[in-house]
Structures are given as structure tokens and as C-alpha cells.
Amino acid sequence: MPGVDGMRAVPMERPGKPEAVLRVLDARSGGQVEVGTGHRSPLRVFVQGARTGAAEEPSGLRARLVADVLLRTAELHGGQALLGLVRSGGTRETPEARAAVLGIRPPAASGTPEEIAQALGGRAHVYVTAGQETAEQGVTVRVGAVRPYEQPSPIGLDALALRLALLTHPHHEPVALTPDELAAAQRTLERWRRSVADWARAPSKPMCAEALGRALAGLEADLDVPVVLDALNRLESEAGLPDGSKFEMFTYLDRVLALELTREIGHAASYDPLT
């Protein structure tokens, strides 16, 4: 039945059509450029952190995060994507352990661009960077710097709360995360996980076509993850939608968000033993 905003859970064809394309802002041309989603051949994404002295290591970590979202979006559309990590002189590296706790996948190859191209079967289609360089070929996605702050992070902060906090900002804009913002991301993450665990008890229902379409349109338009998060926030409080529909929507989009929203499923605290 319709909700207060007219949302409905209706059957729809799952995304993943071969003609799907992504549009990203190319730093070289200054305009949006279409890139494939890896249906006919793998989408090759190279990522490079910030140059030493140009930015702090968190900026390189954010570049890795943006590349991760790009790969996951291509896969959500049924394509295949390969990640190469550029390691060249003067580059400040992001430790793999730190990238892993933020849900960032490891690269399929690393080295110089030439070495990665040889390993992955060709040059980059998309080059993601936290620096100011542009690729000679392909599309260059430039990621905004993460400005450091001196206040301590909240005690007990979930690493994926940092991922969520970074995803709430357009990736090409600079960001300075505060302890208050990190704490808010932590609360959102915990609330969503509890909700998903509760919704998992309900019968499965089709996803809301309107909300899903809005979220996918955001991803396809320059990886606009804030649009995805807004769609989930709206859906969460939508009284007119079945819990099973909300569950399907949150878990489906978590394939891109990678926030482990199903982590609390099956935990005793999420269930009422009297029901």
C-alpha cells in the first residue's frame, strides 16, 4: 500500500542491464564522461594516493574508498571491475590493514601504471587520485582532500563509521571530519544494523521501485553516494512500506556501501523472546 510519501513496494526488474553506464566528473576535461560497467570487458580502475607533502595519508585512504565504491557500483550493475594500486616514487601509501578495516578491497595488482597495465590486460579506464595529476589516457577522478583535525576520535568508534562519515560527503569536495560527525555516523550505523536485524524477521517483499531508482540514479551520476544514503534515511521511517521491502533495499545497496548492515542478524539482543 502507498506510504505517506506515495512509496510502494512493487515488483521490478533487478538492475544490471548491459546498456547501463556510469557518469563521472573527469578532471582532465572538466565535464562528465560516461564509463562502462564492465559487461563486455573488465572495467580497469587505477588508484593513487596523495604525494608526500601534498596531503595527509587519510586523503589517500579516501581515494581508495572512492575507487572501491566505483568497483562495487560496476558489480551491482552486473559488470566486472579490476583494481590496480599505483605505487610510484613520492607517493604516501595507505597500509593495507587500515584499508581492509574500512571495507576496502585489496588491489588485483600494484606497481607502476605500466606494470599494472601489463598485469590487468590494459591501461586504466578510470584513474582515481588524491593528488593533482591527470592520466594521459582514460578518465581522471580527483578526490577531495581529508583535512586533519586535532581532536580525538570518539571512544569505541567502529571503523565502518569512518567509512560512512566519508561517504556522506561528495567525493570531489574536501572534507574535515569532526568527532561529532563521527559519533553521528556511529549512531546511524548502529541503528541501521538493529533495524535490518529486526526487518530480517519479516517475510521478504519487493524493493521500493521509486527509492531504488533514486539511489541507483545517484550512483550512476558521478558516484553520488549521499543520494543513496538519503534514500535509505527516507525509507527507514516510511511507515507504509513492509519491513521485508526495507530489508531487501538496505541489504541490496549495502553491496556498494559495505557497512556490514546485516551484522546484527541472529543476535539475541535484536529479538523479543516472547514473540
Side-chain angles (χ1 to χ4, degrees):
M1 61 180 294
V4 295
D5 291 327
M7 290 187 178
R8 295 181 301 159
V10 297
M12 65 171 292
E13 183 178 350
R14 286 292 179 101
K17 296 181 181 180
E19 64 270 17
V21 295
L22 308 177
R23 297 182 301 279
V24 295
L25 181 63
D26 180 19
R28 184 171 58 175
S29 67
Q32 288 204 350
V33 178
E34 291 185 350
V35 297
T37 53
H39 281 274
R40 297 180 180 178
S41 61
L43 175 67
R44 292 184 294 274
V45 180
F46 293 6
V47 59
Q48 182 169 16
R51 295 285 182 180
T52 301
E56 296 296 325
E57 185 270 339
S59 297
L61 188 65
R62 191 185 190 194
R64 294 282 301 273
L65 174 59
V66 172
D68 186 69
V69 170
L70 176 57
L71 265 65
R72 292 174 181 273
T73 300
E75 292 171 354
L76 193 73
H77 284 77
Q80 180 184 6
L82 300 173
L83 177 67
L85 178 60
V86 177
R87 301 185 187 275
S88 57
T91 299
R92 185 184 296 272
E93 304 294 352
T94 298
E96 286 303 314
R98 187 172 183 190
V101 297
L102 262 70
I104 297 172
R105 296 177 181 174
S110 62
T112 66
E114 293 74 19
E115 292 169 338
I116 298 173
Q118 184 175 9
L120 300 186
R123 294 178 178 269
H125 297 109
V126 182
Y127 196 95
V128 182
T129 177
Q132 295 300 312
E133 65 273 3
T134 56
E136 295 181 0
Q137 294 183 346
V139 177
T140 297
V141 174
R142 192 169 291 154
V143 178
V146 178
R147 298 169 181 165
Y149 60 89
E150 298 181 356
Q151 303 176 57
S153 299
I155 297 175
L157 180 71
D158 188 318
L160 293 181
L162 173 58
R163 181 182 177 107
L164 175 57
L166 288 171
L167 291 177
T168 61
H169 297 270
H171 65 267
H172 51 79
E173 296 180 359
V175 60
L177 298 179
T178 66
D180 287 345
E181 187 171 1
L182 292 172
Q186 175 85 14
R187 291 192 296 270
T188 297
L189 191 60
E190 292 173 350
R191 187 183 72 248
W192 281 358
R193 286 172 177 168
R194 289 194 302 268
S195 294
V196 168
D198 290 338
W199 297 335
R201 304 169 63 190
S204 177
K205 296 292 182 180
M207 290 184 286
C208 173
E210 176 189 347
L212 182 60
R214 183 166 60 246
L216 293 180
L219 288 174
E220 293 164 4
D222 200 23
L223 301 176
D224 195 346
V225 180
V227 170
V228 179
L229 298 176
D230 180 68
L232 292 182
N233 276 317
R234 290 169 177 261
L235 198 73
E236 179 185 19
S237 59
E238 178 53 61
L241 283 177
D243 288 349
S245 177
K246 295 179 181 181
F247 175 82
E248 294 293 342
M249 180 80 164
F250 271 70
T251 55
Y252 183 72
L253 291 176
D254 197 38
R255 291 166 59 181
V256 170
L257 300 176
L259 298 174
E260 297 184 5
L261 296 182
T262 60
R263 181 188 290 183
E264 297 299 321
I265 293 179
H267 287 196
S270 299
Y271 296 88
D272 182 352
L274 300 180
T275 60

